[in-house]
Amino acid sequence: LASITYLPAIESLIEVLTSGGKKSREQVAQALSARKDLRAVEPLITVFKGRDTDARLKAARILGYIGDRRAVDVLVAALKDGNKDIRITAGNALAAIKDPQIVNRFIAGLQDKDANKRQYAVETLGAFRDLRAIKPLLLLLQREKENSIRAAIVQALGSIKDPQVVEALIVI
């Protein structure tokens, strides 16, 4: 499967993500991931926008693996999805894309007045594990009043796994 290069064949494989059996979906997801074929990005975005949770999760993982910036906006929007698995997988896919502008976007989101948006920004920065997020997260931890967000900040900082985080948390 991974050696297919003909675009209609790739589109047919992507169709299997939404209509095939579980085993077929797994094989197609693995084949598409192995190829890192940029032609698969738009069809995968379409699958990700659909209703089938399993297909959306697979599409997000593949989009992250392919690493194409065209997927950024749809993955960012998914961080507000009602399904926690979708939110986490979208965050991980965004982290895999490794676009420095994405990290900056979420660091800016830490300043939002809306607690839900701050929470999404914190959770996503934790998934990114980017050292640039440490200082902004620590600053937010010092002033944040919402316990759920404070807990998410500690969890995000723990995900980053940097020694300076431990020292800063002891001080706080």
Side-chain angles (χ1 to χ4, degrees):
L1 287 176
S3 63
I4 294 174
T5 59
Y6 183 59
L7 182 58
I10 290 170
E11 290 170 345
S12 295
L13 287 176
I14 291 167
E15 177 69 27
V16 172
L17 285 177
T18 58
S19 62
K22 183 175 176 96
K23 181 103 172 137
S24 297
R25 288 195 310 260
E26 293 292 333
Q27 291 173 336
V28 167
Q30 185 176 12
L32 289 170
S33 293
R35 294 213 22 87
K36 279 193 162 186
D37 193 318
L38 296 177
R39 295 172 298 174
V41 172
E42 292 299 330
L44 285 166
I45 288 172
T46 300
V47 169
F48 186 70
K49 290 179 178 178
R51 293 179 184 230
D52 180 331
T53 300
D54 188 52
R56 292 181 71 206
L57 291 169
K58 286 177 179 36
R61 286 185 196 107
I62 297 166
L63 287 167
Y65 185 74
I66 291 173
D68 190 279
R69 294 193 62 216
R70 289 176 287 172
V72 168
D73 290 337
V74 71
L75 292 168
V76 167
L79 296 172
K80 298 176 185 174
D81 195 276
N83 182 315
K84 184 177 182 178
D85 291 335
I86 294 291
R87 289 193 309 268
I88 291 168
T89 304
N92 289 335
L94 284 166
I97 292 173
K98 297 186 193 283
D99 181 337
Q101 295 307 315
I102 296 172
V103 174
N104 294 336
R105 195 173 182 177
F106 287 99
I107 288 173
L110 297 175
Q111 305 302 318
D112 201 290
K113 291 180 181 180
D114 182 327
N116 289 327
K117 290 181 182 176
R118 287 194 311 278
Q119 178 94 21
Y120 293 133
V122 167
E123 290 171 355
T124 304
L125 288 168
F128 288 175
R129 295 178 179 90
D130 190 297
L131 296 177
R132 292 174 294 164
I134 294 172
K135 185 175 179 180
L137 286 168
L138 288 170
L139 290 171
L140 179 60
L141 182 60
Q142 291 175 347
R143 70 174 195 281
E144 182 59 55
K145 306 240 186 289
E146 295 284 334
N147 286 335
S148 62
I149 297 175
R150 291 177 58 80
I153 293 168
V154 171
Q155 186 172 8
L157 289 167
S159 296
I160 296 171
K161 296 181 181 171
D162 187 85
Q164 68 177 324
V165 171
V166 175
E167 294 171 23
L169 288 174
I170 291 171
V171 171
I172 293 174

